[in-house]
Amino acid sequence: LARNPRVLLLDEPTAGLDPAGRRGLIGLLAGLSVPLLVATHDLPLAAALCPRTVVLDGGAVAADGPTAAVLA
């Protein structure tokens, strides 16, 4: 973040965090103005941070669209 990235890539950013750390990280990421690309199994994280979701199954796109619609 110190070098002002154009995009922030995150792979399972909440893995291993306790609930307080998870909430803190989500709050921090939500306050950033940089676009995020997040690979995660944490669906509440995706719902909180990601306006668009792409679901992969076996390397193929199984769903793609607004996060609320994809997660419904």
Side-chain angles (χ1 to χ4, degrees), residues 28-68:
L28 173 77
L29 294 174
L32 297 176
S33 60
V34 63
L36 303 174
L37 178 63
V38 183
T40 188
H41 290 90
D42 185 344
L43 299 183
L45 168 77
L49 291 178
C50 304
R52 177 180 171 201
T53 294
V54 177
V55 177
L56 300 177
D57 183 18
V61 174
D64 180 1
T67 300

